[in-house]
Amino acid sequence: MLQQTQVDRVIASYTAFLDAFPTVAACAEAGAADVVRLWSGLGYNRRALNLHRAAVVMAEQHGGRVPHDEHALRALPGVGPYTARAVLSFSFEADVAPVDTNVVRVLARSMAGRGLPLRQAQSLADQLLPAGRSWEFNQAMFDLGATVCTAARPQCGRCAISVDGSAPA
């Protein structure tokens, strides 16, 4: 739900969704239309359909559990590298770095001093990831990109990792 949607827009929908579908099996057993209805207002209804399809696969092939490895996660409908790594980090505290647009921006400004293609940003994030601390590191990177190192108005003077309080040229 948080992909390309701000947290404050997601909270009520997330709560209602978990009330209706407290387990993977409950989501899988529901009709796709019910899942989309509860997703209403978040946009990108394809994500809701993919979530339902993924729940069906997890119920049928994984005993109603979310897989713990990246390959199995990426085999689920609608799950790409970013989502698989985010699930592994935040749900299972695996030492992986999910990289989204915000993280690319933070790394580009704070470490490279220039724009970075996704592949280079992913490699850099993987190198910087402290073993056993992925949850904290990744949450900090997301929060920094969303609140301080924003696209339109970076607040470099407030940045915890800025060298001199200014954005790179």
Side-chain angles (χ1 to χ4, degrees):
M1 285 183 174
L2 288 171
Q3 286 180 317
Q4 301 177 5
T5 309
Q6 295 176 342
V7 173
D8 58 339
R9 288 190 52 216
V10 169
I11 293 171
S13 295
Y14 177 76
T15 302
F17 196 90
L18 287 183
D19 286 345
F21 311 121
T23 65
V24 170
C27 184
E29 291 167 4
D34 293 329
V35 174
V36 171
R37 182 179 49 78
L38 283 174
W39 197 275
S40 178
L42 297 176
Y44 304 100
N45 287 346
R46 183 183 74 232
R47 293 183 300 174
L49 292 172
N50 281 334
L51 178 62
H52 181 260
R53 291 174 46 223
V56 169
V57 171
M58 286 185 279
E60 293 175 353
Q61 298 177 15
H62 299 282
R65 311 277 304 171
V66 176
H68 289 199
D69 68 270
E70 188 169 351
H71 179 74
L73 283 165
R74 290 190 60 188
L76 296 173
V79 176
Y82 165 78
T83 301
R85 287 173 158 253
V87 168
L88 289 170
S89 175
F90 295 120
S91 297
F92 303 116
E93 297 188 27
D95 284 336
V96 297
V99 173
D100 70 352
T101 304
N102 288 331
V103 174
V104 170
R105 187 172 52 252
V106 170
L107 293 172
R109 288 177 177 162
S110 67
M111 304 298 294
R114 60 178 172 75
L116 286 174
L118 178 60
R119 184 175 295 230
Q120 287 180 357
Q122 183 66 66
S123 177
L124 183 55
D126 290 341
Q127 292 170 30
L128 294 171
L129 185 74
R133 307 273 320 267
S134 70
W135 193 98
E136 296 91 343
F137 176 83
N138 292 322
Q139 192 63 57
M141 293 297 284
F142 288 145
D143 287 349
L144 190 59
T147 62
V148 176
C149 192
T150 61
R153 292 191 193 116
Q155 300 172 42
C156 301
R158 291 186 50 222
C159 180
I161 61 175
S162 174
V163 176
D164 65 1
S166 63

